[in-house]
Amino acid sequence: MLARTADNLYWLSRYIERAEYVARILEATHRVATLPVGYAGSTNEWESALATAGCAAAFFAVYNDANEENVTEFLAFSTANSSSIRHCFEIARTNARAVRTALTMEMWDAINGAWLEIKGFGAGPRRRDEVARFLRLVQESSLRFDGSAYRTMLRNDAYWFSRLGVFMERADNTARILDVKYHLLLPALEHVGGPLDYFQWATMLRSVSALTAYHWVYRESLKPWLIADLLILNDQMPRSLASCYENLARNLDQIARAYGRQGPAQRQARAIRARLENSRMDEIFQSGLHEFINEFVADNNRLGATIARQYLM
Amino acid sequence: MANVMTASLGGAALFVKPPLSAPAAFDEMRGGDGAVRPAYAELASWLDGISPEGLLQRRREAELLFRRIGITFAVHGEAEAQERLIPFDVVPRILSGAEWGMLARGLEQRVRALNLFLKDVYSQREILRAGIVPEDLIFRNPLFRPEMNGQKVPHDLYVLIAGIDIVRVDAETFYVLEDNARTPSGVSYMLENREIMLRLFPDLFSRHRVAPVENYPDELLATLKSVAPASASRDPTVVLLTPGVFNSAYYEHSFLADKLGVELVEGRDLLVRDEVVFMRTTEGLKRVDVVYRRVDDDFLDPLAFRPDSLLGVPGLMSAYAAGNVTLANAVGTGIADDKAVYSYMPQILKFYLGEAPILHNVPTYCCRDVEDLAYVLDHLPELVVKEVHGSGGYGMMIGPKADRETLAAFRAKLERQPHGFIAQPTLALSTCPTCVEDGLAPRHVDLRPFVLMGRDRVRIVPGGLTRVALGPGSLVVNSSQGGGTKDTWVLDG
């Protein structure tokens, strides 16, 4: 397979995954923004959304004020923001077009149809119900694309590279939300436990579509250390770091088997997976949650670079 | 709307309504007495049984199918959505087995001669020394590639894929209008039109014995593999080189790569090491033996041709010169589809094959010839005048439609620079029944069959792309000016 084709498939999946993540952040933020001030807390939830999306610096280069209108525009519709939902879909579609023959008809339909609809929103609606409709559309399009890939692609390198994109991006996103919000999860805050924390935790879980999952897994009210466990170590949870790495290691192994050659990417992915498997939440808290997350982010970036060197160029 | 069909189908020219004194156009379905010709008998009776509304309904269904099959494959934005919506006419154009047999023999003969001509021009130049084709026609031709002088190409084959534009004027006479010997396009329409027809009219197919065209990609792949360089492995690696997604024919490139099962590469996917071409794959570098390139000569290799080209592969020409890769078509074939060289095709055929042409040229006046020029200047209002190097209907004058200023301007150009022009009589192109708003009406058509020249043999899929001028009385088949396409049926036996 052409390295460029693999690269396109990988980034195509990454951009769709990123668009979905940004849509979830916006949806969760809109939700918390409708709460009375006393519940939402004193911090600006719109600034928090920018940080979670990893777009704060880019945003403040253009805007002074992080409010609903500006942040929604910037994260959802902006053509200047390379991580905006619109931009993600545009790039994804350009990539899809370049590798049209490596995609199934269903995948192309999903992405092309989504792009035409998203483009139809133009510079973005003002009304909240319109924004909400947009955010639903983005999430449904991502699900449709992902489902089409899962159900229609041959299980060969094209499929495995597109899966690698999904899980690299997902691991990156979950790590970023942990990085931005880790202070909410520190045991020191446990005593607060008021409605304020509840809504912040719930927003965080919604951003990675894990609120319902939390209740199913723990059958408890929200506890910060359990949230951390869910997002980092729990391999039942599709967006946890552990689950992402299980998938990364497996897909890399499939590629290695098909090509008859193991490489540094396989070794790195296995090492990170082993560390996640062998960790316990209390130990992570003891040695420092923030340090753990920082280290993970660095490892994850390193793996991304290794995959690119080994296969994509 | 963009001038899309012209852009993606290359060369073909405009045709004009014949002057009033000319005989009526030959209709391919019915004779002058209204009698249906044998090849069309079944179709005519089927058409009699369907109402105009029924026919329009089928046309709408065809459009829907094109949107679903074609569009979902190809559409990349509004501009390109229009590109795919070149009107499709649901009434097929039919050629009898005997008519096709004659065409196929003529096409094969012509492409063989083109290949011998190119080999000669880039090596011994016997035809020039014999004074049959004037030297300056070659050496002053911008499409002549001095880099190819003395260059051996694999199996001495230059034009592996040719699109020969054919027009018909009466029961016996088919003329070659133009030879496309560089990167002819349009074959994806031939294949898709047939797919749509098979879905829409299974009953109609069951009443005919229509020769299939769906094996074209297979034949193309066999042709490309047959011309792999001697150093290639027994199963040579073929790639299709595209300028990229922004090229107007990208749809066809990706369509063909998909059907051929070969990689669709861009210049940046290839690299040359020690005069061998490789592609960058997820498993490292992989050797490439045959490049079916849909990139023009100028852009193939920035080291040999245009240094600013980002579409090409640095060093590709050195690998080519070393005989380590086959380019299909070869570099420098443009001189064979030049309009002035075209006018010498009868002599070229005779020189190399010792045969008389089976397919004739449109009678052509070569304005560089003093007698021809005199005739052209005397009959300017009746003639079509074309620039020798022009294509796609550019730089031409249609005498019967030209106003006084245009005629005067072309007269001046001809007198100043006769070498730059040829002239042809306006032709009464044949017509085929075509679905229009108020039922069926005759519309003018042309035909582009595709000829594949392999080392082992010539392959021609029976059929081609029929283009139809949809406007009443119009002879303009270019899609930008109301042209559409039809499925082309060759009856088996």
Side-chain angles (χ1 to χ4, degrees):
Chain A
M1 167 183 243
L2 281 183
R4 180 173 53 85
T5 305
D7 188 61
N8 272 318
L9 287 166
Y10 173 83
W11 283 102
L12 165 59
S13 298
R14 281 198 78 150
Y15 277 109
I16 299 275
E17 182 69 22
R18 184 176 301 176
E20 182 189 333
Y21 173 67
V22 174
R24 286 187 192 283
I25 292 171
L26 272 175
E27 204 175 67
T29 309
H30 274 275
R31 191 181 167 108
V32 82
T34 59
L35 291 173
V37 177
Y39 292 87
S42 54
T43 56
N44 179 340
E45 64 273 11
W46 295 106
E47 267 181 47
S48 170
L50 288 167
T52 315
C55 296
F59 177 87
F60 288 109
V62 185
Y63 291 104
N64 292 319
D65 192 20
N67 56 30
E68 174 174 348
E69 191 183 332
N70 290 347
V71 172
T72 303
E73 190 278 333
F74 192 73
L75 290 185
F77 305 106
S78 169
T79 48
N81 172 14
S82 64
S83 287
S84 79
I85 292 169
R86 182 196 157 100
H87 195 258
C88 284
F89 265 91
E90 186 169 9
I91 298 184
R93 189 171 149 288
T94 306
N95 279 12
R97 188 185 169 196
V99 295
R100 174 60 192 84
T101 54
L103 302 180
T104 61
M105 179 79 89
E106 289 80 1
M107 292 167 78
W108 170 252
D109 264 353
I111 197 155
N112 193 47
W115 166 244
L116 293 177
E117 274 196 73
I118 282 168
K119 208 165 54 165
F121 278 86
R126 291 280 177 268
R127 282 175 29 207
R128 277 192 176 154
D129 58 330
E130 284 287 290
V131 172
R133 198 165 66 78
F134 175 82
L135 297 175
R136 289 308 319 159
L137 165 70
V138 170
Q139 292 170 61
E140 279 159 15
S141 301
S142 164
L143 290 173
R144 186 174 160 209
F145 178 75
D146 199 53
S148 304
Y150 182 73
R151 294 183 61 140
T152 61
M153 277 184 98
L154 287 174
R155 288 328 191 235
N156 58 16
D157 44 0
Y159 179 74
W160 299 319
F161 281 113
S162 82
R163 294 282 98 181
L164 286 184
V166 171
F167 294 111
M168 282 302 293
E169 184 64 27
R170 204 173 266 187
D172 200 45
N173 291 335
T174 301
R176 188 176 316 112
I177 202 167
L178 285 164
D179 190 34
V180 172
K181 303 279 177 104
Y182 78 96
H183 56 276
L184 294 175
L185 302 177
L186 293 178
L189 288 175
E190 185 194 337
H191 69 276
V192 180
L196 186 72
D197 294 311
Y198 173 83
F199 286 108
Q200 298 217 359
W201 291 331
T203 302
M204 184 173 170
L205 286 172
R206 277 205 182 89
S207 300
V208 289
S209 72
L211 186 55
T212 311
Y214 178 94
H215 292 300
W216 276 98
V217 173
Y218 302 106
R219 301 184 183 280
E220 274 204 60
S221 56
L222 299 186
K223 299 282 189 323
W225 59 90
L226 292 181
I227 294 174
D229 180 67
L230 183 68
L231 297 188
I232 297 173
L233 298 183
N234 192 310
D235 58 12
Q236 297 174 38
M237 163 65 199
R239 282 188 167 71
S240 74
L241 302 184
S243 168
C244 290
Y245 265 81
E246 194 185 301
N247 281 293
L248 285 169
R250 197 177 49 241
N251 282 288
L252 279 165
D253 267 343
Q254 301 267 36
I255 293 170
R257 204 169 311 143
Y259 294 170
R261 193 162 38 184
Q262 293 271 338
Q266 280 79 10
R267 286 191 287 279
Q268 282 178 31
R270 269 200 298 272
I272 300 172
R273 181 181 59 179
R275 191 168 333 128
L276 289 166
E277 273 174 0
N278 299 330
S279 293
R280 285 184 19 214
M281 215 52 233
D282 51 349
E283 291 166 4
I284 292 177
F285 276 119
Q286 251 166 33
S287 55
L289 176 62
H290 197 218
E291 289 71 17
F292 179 88
I293 293 166
N294 275 345
E295 206 176 306
F296 176 86
V297 169
D299 283 346
N300 195 49
N301 289 340
R302 213 161 19 244
L303 177 63
T306 304
I307 290 174
R309 255 197 320 278
Q310 193 171 328
Y311 294 115
L312 308 180
M313 47 177 79
Chain B
M1 182 175 156
N3 193 1
V4 172
M5 190 90 157
T6 311
S8 57
L9 290 184
L14 302 152
F15 312 107
V16 290
K17 196 167 186 168
L20 289 175
S21 56
F26 173 82
D27 188 74
E28 298 193 3
M29 181 160 92
R30 288 177 197 277
D33 54 357
V36 175
R37 300 181 204 281
Y40 277 86
E42 279 292 331
L43 179 66
S45 80
W46 184 87
L47 285 171
D48 283 343
I50 190 166
S51 66
E53 294 77 48
L55 211 52
L56 286 173
Q57 174 60 27
R58 296 300 184 98
R59 191 170 75 175
R60 282 191 292 274
E61 286 170 29
E63 212 166 278
L64 271 175
L65 279 173
F66 263 114
R67 279 183 186 280
R68 273 193 31 219
I69 301 177
I71 293 277
T72 51
F73 195 100
V75 171
H76 317 303
E78 291 90 336
E80 290 151 289
Q82 290 181 352
E83 168 179 352
R84 284 300 303 150
L85 285 181
I86 291 173
F88 172 68
D89 184 60
V90 294
V91 183
R93 189 250 190 106
I94 303 182
L95 295 166
S96 73
E99 285 163 348
W100 176 255
M102 187 274 294
L103 280 175
R105 282 192 305 280
L107 292 167
E108 174 164 351
Q109 180 193 47
R110 194 155 178 116
V111 176
R112 281 190 192 285
L114 286 174
N115 273 291
L116 292 168
F117 170 67
L118 283 161
K119 181 194 171 195
D120 186 28
V121 162
Y122 286 117
S123 58
Q124 306 301 319
R125 297 182 182 156
E126 283 168 11
I127 198 163
L128 307 184
R129 280 188 278 135
I132 291 171
V133 172
E135 280 196 359
D136 66 307
L137 211 57
I138 303 300
F139 299 133
R140 296 180 59 182
N141 194 319
L143 299 174
F144 175 73
R145 294 287 167 203
E147 297 85 353
M148 293 297 289
N149 281 332
Q151 158 80 55
K152 174 105 177 99
V153 308
H155 316 292
D156 291 331
L157 292 177
Y158 288 75
V159 182
L160 300 134
I161 300 125
I164 310 289
D165 289 346
I166 304 274
V167 294
R168 183 176 199 178
V169 292
D170 60 41
E172 283 83 34
T173 316
F174 292 83
Y175 286 129
V176 174
L177 186 70
E178 206 165 284
D179 302 292
N180 296 285
R182 281 173 280 173
T183 54
S185 59
V187 79
S188 57
Y189 297 93
M190 171 183 90
L191 296 169
E192 285 209 318
N193 287 355
R194 177 62 55 84
E195 284 304 310
I196 300 284
M197 289 297 281
L198 282 166
R199 286 191 190 206
L200 280 182
F201 303 108
D203 46 334
L204 201 46
F205 279 90
S206 67
R207 291 163 69 165
H208 291 85
R209 292 166 56 88
V210 183
V213 293
E214 67 182 42
N215 54 332
Y216 177 83
D218 240 50
E219 301 282 47
L220 175 57
L221 189 61
T223 301
L224 292 169
K225 286 191 172 181
S226 79
V227 294
S231 57
S233 68
R234 276 185 54 187
D235 187 21
T237 300
V238 178
V239 298
L240 196 161
L241 176 64
T242 173
V245 291
F246 300 109
N247 186 271
S248 64
Y250 181 74
Y251 163 73
E252 177 159 299
H253 304 161
S254 63
F255 175 91
L256 278 178
D258 198 32
K259 298 273 179 214
L260 290 166
V262 305
E263 293 290 356
L264 178 63
V265 302
E266 296 178 19
R268 57 192 157 130
D269 296 318
L270 300 180
L271 64 97
V272 177
R273 256 184 213 168
D274 300 330
E275 301 181 332
V276 173
V277 182
F278 294 95
M279 63 175 155
R280 302 171 209 268
T281 79
T282 51
E283 296 175 81
L285 297 182
K286 182 171 184 200
R287 183 177 169 156
V288 170
D289 303 303
V290 181
V291 180
Y292 175 24
R293 49 95 171 205
R294 298 288 294 256
V295 171
D296 289 341
D297 286 356
D298 270 342
F299 299 96
L300 268 182
D301 179 352
L303 301 182
F305 305 116
R306 284 179 59 152
D308 57 338
S309 169
L310 301 173
L311 306 176
V313 185
L316 184 59
M317 285 302 284
S318 73
Y320 191 43
N324 289 332
V325 68
T326 301
L327 298 179
N329 289 340
V331 172
T333 55
I335 47 168
D337 62 16
D338 179 86
K339 289 190 182 67
V341 173
Y342 161 92
S343 61
Y344 288 91
M345 273 311 283
Q347 293 92 313
I348 289 173
L349 268 162
K350 184 150 195 330
F351 184 78
Y352 294 111
L353 301 174
E355 296 169 9
I358 300 169
L359 287 171
H360 293 276
N361 276 2
V362 176
T364 300
Y365 304 97
C366 213
C367 302
R368 56 188 292 128
D369 180 290
V370 181
E371 278 176 34
D372 279 9
L373 178 65
Y375 178 89
V376 170
L377 290 173
D378 275 355
H379 296 81
L380 212 48
E382 303 160 23
L383 299 171
V384 177
V385 180
K386 297 177 183 176
E387 258 178 45
V388 166
H389 304 307
S391 72
Y394 295 104
M396 68 189 294
M397 185 208 73
I398 298 151
K401 285 203 171 169
D403 55 24
R404 197 175 299 172
E405 289 82 59
T406 313
L407 284 170
F410 264 81
R411 183 177 297 278
K413 280 191 197 178
L414 282 167
E415 282 168 347
R416 198 167 56 242
Q417 216 187 2
H419 283 61
F421 296 90
I422 57 151
Q424 293 167 340
T426 53
L427 298 174
L429 293 195
S430 62
T431 59
C432 280
T434 298
C435 180
V436 298
E437 285 312 318
D438 42 1
L440 287 176
R443 290 290 183 267
H444 296 287
V445 292
D446 78 349
L447 175 68
R448 176 179 289 182
F450 296 89
V451 183
L452 300 173
M453 180 90 199
R455 178 174 53 129
D456 45 350
R457 62 191 178 89
V458 174
R459 298 168 170 85
I460 311 176
V461 170
L465 177 65
T466 289
R467 293 187 296 175
V468 53
L470 293 173
S474 165
L475 288 121
V476 180
V477 298
N478 298 52
S479 73
S480 53
Q481 299 169 61
T485 68
K486 278 172 174 289
D487 191 14
T488 310
W489 291 8
V490 172
L491 299 187
D492 201 356

